[in-house]
Amino acid sequence: MAKQRKPRSKPAKSTEPTVSQQRQAYYEARARRRSLDELGVLAGDGEPVRPEPDRKAALEALDSFDRLMILYGICRWTAIAGRPPEPEDWADDKDWPQPDAVDALFGSWDDALGESGVLDSAVEGLLDRVAKAHQEMARRTEELERTQRRLEEEAQRTPELERQMERHKARRDEADLRLVEVEGERERLIADRDRADTRAGVLERRVAELEAAAAEAPAGTGGVETEPLQRELAAARAEILRLHDELDAARADAERDRTTIARLSALVGRPEEPASDEPPAEEAEPTTVLEAVQRAAASATHLRFAPRAFETAEDSPFRRPGLVLRTLRQLDELAGRYAEGDMGMSLSAAAREVGITQWKAGVSELARTRWRDEYLVSIDGQEVELGPHVGLGSGSGAGFVARIYLHVADGGDGLPRGITVGVVGRHLPDTTT
């Protein structure tokens, strides 16, 4: 089998110019030089003409570039630093234009700043607002941190406060129970005292009848029958005094319990204050009615006292000066309420609210006319009439009963609105005496 012949490849075309092409290019170049020479574009030696440089324009271009770089530096400094640069910022710093170059190009440093526009920039004001906002944020952060610390401390104290509150509630409940017991004992003592007073009154009337009968009987026949009654009357009076003393002690205990309850109630409302286990200091009982009046006058804030109140108190033989002191302090509270204006209730109702149970609104017209001088007192140089009064004690005799007579001024009698104590002690004369 005969071999198949491969087809012969075509020879590669040459990229070199042919002689004809070279000759044509030569003729064209010679014709171009001749034309340029005739136009004066080429020098006599056939070389292109070399133009002279424009030295003035070159200097102006350099100055414009330098000015642009200075303006750029001013703007960049202001944007980064938050304020326009000062000459001393760039002096002796090779990385920034020098102040004398700025003066040479712009005339002065201020002119350069003005041309850059940074003096009208809002960057400085914006940075001021940012700084103030940062300060305010820092302040609020500190406040929040303090608040958080305080809340954490209070949270840590909460268990102890709850324990304190439970203790206070338990003590208050105990005090409430004690007060109920004291009030019950007080009611019992009052009932016993009233029975004793009634019995003593009956005995006194019987003794008076027998003494009157003995006075009318022949000599030597009357005194014996009254001696047993006299002894019984003396025993009844001694029993009355004992009951009065017990009642005063019960009242003192009740007052201490009320004070304790009020203190514990306040502590329950304010558990953060530690309770004091020390009992309140007890006030010593006055020994005379005059001492009771003097102590009440020294501590009174609303109740006023006429000079006659001290004179009559000094003459009073009333055996329970502590009751006088307590009643005067209750009257001081009543006087404070009255001085403020309309109480919305009568004085007798307000007196009951402050603990005065034997308030009398006045005396009879007969007593005021028949014994007028007894019911007049001088207050600040002005003579006024007494009327409302408070009864103290029970039984008969100045040692067992007393009165506190008052003048109530409504502002229309020349005295300021208020209550004044006029007489303390003996019962003033009236139809019952």
Side-chain angles (χ1 to χ4, degrees):
M1 184 177 180
K3 279 185 179 181
Q4 293 182 356
R5 293 183 179 178
K6 293 181 180 180
R8 182 180 296 175
S9 60
K10 296 181 179 180
K13 189 175 181 180
S14 175
T15 58
E16 294 293 332
T18 62
V19 174
S20 176
Q21 290 174 341
Q22 292 177 354
R23 187 182 300 112
Q24 182 64 29
Y26 169 77
Y27 290 142
E28 290 176 358
R30 186 177 64 179
R32 182 174 178 275
R33 284 196 302 272
R34 186 180 297 114
S35 297
L36 292 174
D37 184 49
E38 291 176 355
L39 292 173
V41 175
L42 297 177
D45 55 0
E47 295 295 329
V49 177
R50 183 179 181 84
E52 292 294 329
D54 188 348
R55 301 184 182 279
K56 181 179 180 182
L59 291 176
E60 291 178 354
L62 290 175
D63 288 348
S64 297
F65 179 77
D66 290 341
R67 288 168 62 90
L68 180 62
M69 292 303 296
I70 290 174
L71 295 176
Y72 167 71
I74 292 174
C75 293
R76 185 169 182 270
W77 181 281
T78 303
I80 296 176
R83 62 175 180 81
E86 297 294 338
E88 55 268 20
D89 293 329
W90 287 2
D92 300 327
D93 190 341
K94 63 180 181 179
D95 294 328
W96 296 90
Q98 295 303 298
D100 54 354
V102 175
D103 293 340
L105 290 172
F106 291 93
S108 69
W109 186 271
D110 291 338
D111 291 342
L113 295 180
E115 187 170 341
S116 67
V118 296
L119 297 179
D120 300 328
S121 173
V123 173
E124 188 170 2
L126 179 62
L127 291 177
D128 289 340
R129 291 194 295 273
V130 170
K132 291 179 180 179
H134 178 72
Q135 294 172 0
E136 178 67 17
M137 184 65 68
R139 185 185 64 80
R140 294 185 60 184
T141 301
E142 292 178 357
E143 291 181 355
L144 290 174
E145 290 177 351
R146 288 196 297 269
T147 302
Q148 183 178 359
R149 287 194 297 270
R150 186 175 67 255
L151 291 175
E152 292 175 353
E153 292 173 357
E154 292 178 355
Q156 294 175 356
R157 293 178 56 196
T158 298
E160 177 61 26
L161 295 178
E162 290 177 349
R163 287 191 293 271
Q164 290 184 14
M165 183 174 291
E166 292 299 326
R167 288 197 297 269
H168 298 330
K169 288 181 179 179
R171 294 176 64 184
R172 185 183 65 178
D173 293 340
E174 293 175 1
D176 287 339
L177 293 175
R178 173 60 180 161
L179 180 60
V180 172
E181 294 175 357
V182 170
E183 290 293 340
E185 182 67 14
R186 176 176 175 272
E187 294 298 330
R188 185 188 65 78
L189 291 174
I190 290 175
D192 292 344
R193 183 201 64 187
D194 292 340
R195 287 193 295 270
D197 287 344
T198 302
R199 183 163 174 265
V202 172
L203 292 174
E204 285 181 344
R205 286 193 296 271
R206 179 59 178 161
V207 168
E209 292 173 359
L210 292 175
E211 287 178 346
E216 296 175 358
T221 63
V224 177
E225 295 182 2
T226 63
E227 289 180 359
L229 293 177
Q230 290 283 7
R231 289 194 296 272
E232 188 175 357
L233 177 60
R237 286 177 174 172
E239 178 66 13
I240 290 173
L241 288 178
R242 185 187 66 79
L243 291 173
H244 280 318
D245 292 339
E246 290 184 6
L247 183 59
D248 287 340
R251 284 174 175 168
D253 291 340
E255 187 64 29
R256 284 194 296 271
D257 290 339
R258 288 192 186 97
T259 302
T260 302
I261 290 172
R263 182 170 57 86
L264 293 175
S265 299
L267 289 172
V268 170
R270 299 189 301 272
E272 69 277 3
E273 298 181 6
S276 174
D277 293 331
E278 297 182 1
E282 295 185 6
E283 183 180 17
E285 288 284 324
T287 57
T288 64
V289 176
L290 177 60
E291 181 185 353
V293 175
Q294 290 172 339
R295 285 163 61 174
S299 62
T301 56
H302 305 286
L303 192 64
R304 297 190 289 267
F305 291 80
R308 190 179 170 194
F310 300 94
E311 298 170 1
T312 53
E314 187 176 10
D315 183 54
S316 174
F318 188 56
R319 300 182 181 183
R320 301 171 62 195
L323 178 59
V324 176
L325 177 59
R326 286 190 293 274
T327 304
L328 288 174
R329 287 178 174 170
Q330 291 169 338
L331 285 171
D332 183 44
E333 182 181 352
L334 178 64
R337 295 178 58 179
Y338 179 75
E340 292 177 357
D342 186 13
M343 298 183 295
M345 63 181 70
S346 64
L347 266 175
S348 59
R352 285 193 297 271
E353 287 191 353
V354 300
I356 299 174
T357 59
Q358 299 188 53
W359 173 272
K360 306 296 182 183
V363 296
S364 66
E365 184 66 25
L366 179 61
R368 286 202 305 271
T369 55
R370 180 176 296 180
W371 297 282
R372 182 174 182 274
D373 292 342
E374 296 290 338
Y375 289 91
L376 293 178
V377 296
S378 178
I379 301 176
D380 296 336
Q382 181 174 341
E383 198 172 61
V384 296
E385 194 174 76
L386 302 176
H389 58 279
V390 179
L392 301 176
S394 60
S396 62
F400 296 94
V401 294
R403 295 290 185 270
I404 300 176
Y405 291 90
L406 309 166
H407 174 73
V408 179
D410 59 2
D413 57 358
L415 294 176
R417 181 181 178 90
I419 300 177
T420 303
V421 178
V423 170
V424 180
R426 297 179 184 272
H427 196 308
L428 295 180
D430 58 14
T431 56
T432 63
T433 59

